Amino acid sequence: MAYLVIWSPFFAGAAAQHGSGSTLGGIWCALTAFFAIVLSFYVLALVTTQLGPGQKILRADAAAGWVHAVRARFGDAVHEEYRKPTGTGVGSISTADYYYAELLPEGEDGGPAVRPTVRFASMSGNSFRINLGDKHLSRAAAELVGHSGWLCWPTRWRDLAGTDEQRRVAAAFVTDTGHVVWGHTLEGDWTTWLRGEIAPVRETDPTLSAQVLPSPSRFLPAAHGVSLLYASAAAVLAVPYLVGAVPFGVGIGLGVAAGIVGFTAGGRMSGGAKNLDPELWTVRQESHPSLS
């Protein structure tokens, strides 16, 4: 569907422009072809599972034989709404949204440990990958809630914390059944475990491997369903002049209309990717101490 949306404006314009020699049509075809080529490479993010730089470092450290690791149990997927003053005047309040899964520390014997809960956020990425990562995280929580495993950080965590603008550190939760969920931890969480030296360095077995927990469908009905209708409408607009059933002027008009509808579909698809499955998230509301 993504490629249908991306290329429909070009093919619509090219069909209307064929044999006419119109300068306006030529400009339209050149611009739409340029954007289609660029976006075609960009959309490859939808079909790849590339790890971020932090996750690659963690994977390399695990292969080298050592990671920081603690026992933990996978908890709920949490959507936290945090209210805080904006500093622009009395009564001015803003709300920030955070999405994460709770990881509950366990003792070596499998019992609960008196340690703070770790907020495990989805793997960072660009564009589509951030929102799809949150969706994957909520699905992982639905499948793994109550499952025990190892929460791992790289031995080179200082390098990551020092170069990341938000001072996040890559992490991975590896279940006892051999599945891994990639993500990262916020500064307020990893500081306790890594700077406080309560997450020991443990030896790994490089001969073993973990399988990435299968991703959910990348189709988001609420976001992509309407986009598909728009893309279909753009294709329908192209039919009359593709079969030569309309004069040149009408063909140009239909081509432009098909292009506009196609771009609209693309805009809705990328913007609507933020829509998540609300029933999979536990909503919590927290407030800055000054508001209590």
Side-chain angles (χ1 to χ4, degrees):
M1 186 192 76
Y3 283 108
L4 174 62
V5 169
I6 289 170
W7 282 98
S8 61
F10 166 74
F11 284 114
Q17 165 72 3
H18 181 66
S20 68
S22 169
T23 301
L24 179 61
I27 294 175
W28 171 267
C29 291
L31 289 176
T32 52
F34 172 76
F35 282 108
I37 292 172
V38 173
L39 291 175
S40 292
F41 288 101
Y42 185 68
V43 168
L44 288 177
L46 290 171
V47 293
T48 59
T49 55
Q50 297 176 351
L51 299 179
Q55 285 73 30
K56 290 181 180 178
I57 289 177
L58 173 54
R59 183 175 62 181
D61 287 351
W66 301 94
V67 295
H68 288 274
V70 294
R71 294 290 297 174
R73 179 164 47 86
F74 217 95
D76 296 328
V78 177
H79 171 199
E80 180 181 313
E81 298 176 348
Y82 187 76
R83 300 170 64 251
K84 59 183 179 180
T86 62
T88 58
V90 178
S92 298
I93 299 173
S94 64
T95 302
D97 294 305
Y98 300 96
Y99 295 89
Y100 57 85
E102 288 186 316
L103 300 185
L104 313 174
E106 292 183 331
E108 296 294 330
D109 59 356
V114 186
R115 299 292 188 185
T117 299
V118 179
R119 293 171 295 176
F120 185 74
S122 62
M123 183 176 67
S124 299
N126 296 317
S127 178
F128 304 101
R129 292 172 57 192
I130 292 178
N131 304 308
L132 290 169
D134 286 336
K135 183 180 182 182
H136 189 191
L137 187 65
S138 65
R139 294 289 182 179
E143 292 187 35
L144 299 180
V145 62
H147 285 240
S148 297
W150 291 96
L151 171 59
C152 305
W153 290 282
T155 55
R156 292 175 285 174
W157 60 269
R158 290 180 177 84
D159 296 339
L160 297 180
T163 57
D164 190 280
E165 292 183 0
Q166 301 181 33
R167 297 185 62 80
R168 300 167 298 186
V169 171
F173 180 81
V174 185
T175 69
D176 293 336
T177 56
H179 291 88
V180 61
V181 181
W182 293 99
H184 70 264
T185 49
L186 305 178
E187 182 178 10
D189 296 79
W190 62 257
T191 297
T192 302
W193 294 90
L194 299 177
R195 290 199 187 279
E197 299 183 347
I198 58 177
V201 175
R202 299 181 185 270
E203 186 176 4
T204 62
D205 185 351
T207 63
L208 299 178
S209 62
Q211 180 181 4
V212 177
L213 192 72
S215 298
S217 169
R218 294 180 183 270
F219 180 75
L220 304 174
H224 296 156
V226 177
S227 298
L228 183 58
L229 292 177
Y230 272 86
S232 300
V236 170
L237 286 172
V239 170
Y241 56 79
L242 286 176
V243 299
V246 294
F248 169 73
V250 176
I252 286 290
L254 289 176
V256 172
I260 293 174
V261 174
F263 276 126
T264 301
R268 291 186 61 89
M269 183 174 66
S270 59
K274 298 179 180 178
N275 293 340
L276 300 173
D277 304 312
E279 69 276 6
L280 297 179
W281 297 89
T282 299
V283 180
R284 294 179 183 169
Q285 293 184 339
E286 302 288 341
S287 298
H288 189 274
S290 63
L291 299 179
S292 58

